[in-house]
Amino acid sequence: AALRINPNYAGALTNRGNVYYNRKEYDRAIADYNAALRIDPNSADAYYNRGLAYYNKKDYDRAVADFTAALGINPNFADAKVNLELARNARGY
């Protein structure tokens, strides 16, 4: 409903992306996170969540980039720190 009222509401796009993520519809989730980041490029949550989606698709390089971006915006983002290390380890270098 929020996106029908305001299709440029980055928070709603991120939230809808989270729904897709939870359904394991990673490509749809990534599309919503991309849209949210076009509107609000300083959303640590959108970067983090997109990183999780990439991680689950085994695209570890993109996951590392997104977790790093989330930490660049919010250096105290503990979950991003943990998942950054997991993604780095998963890619094997």
Side-chain angles (χ1 to χ4, degrees), residues 59-62 64-65 84-93:
D59 188 341
Y60 302 122
D61 288 333
R62 285 187 175 154
V64 165
L84 174 60
E85 290 310 309
L86 290 173
R88 284 180 174 159
N89 289 336
R91 70 182 184 182
Y93 58 89

Side-chain angles (χ1 to χ4, degrees), residues 1 8 15 17 25 27 33-34 36 38 46 48 52 56-57 59 64 66 72-73 78 82-83 88:
N8 292 318
N15 288 339
E25 296 179 40
D27 291 330
Y33 300 139
N34 288 342
R38 280 192 294 275
Y48 172 74
L52 291 175
N56 280 281
K57 289 178 53 111
D59 188 341
V64 165
D66 278 351
I73 296 164
V82 169
N83 283 286
R88 284 180 174 159

Side-chain angles (χ1 to χ4, degrees), residues 19-52:
V19 170
Y20 291 137
Y21 174 84
N22 288 329
R23 293 181 185 167
K24 298 182 176 17
E25 296 179 40
Y26 301 124
D27 291 330
R28 292 180 84 179
I30 289 166
D32 274 353
Y33 300 139
N34 288 342
L37 288 164
R38 280 192 294 275
I39 296 163
D40 181 6
N42 293 311
S43 174
D45 287 335
Y47 278 113
Y48 172 74
N49 292 325
R50 189 175 71 178
L52 291 175

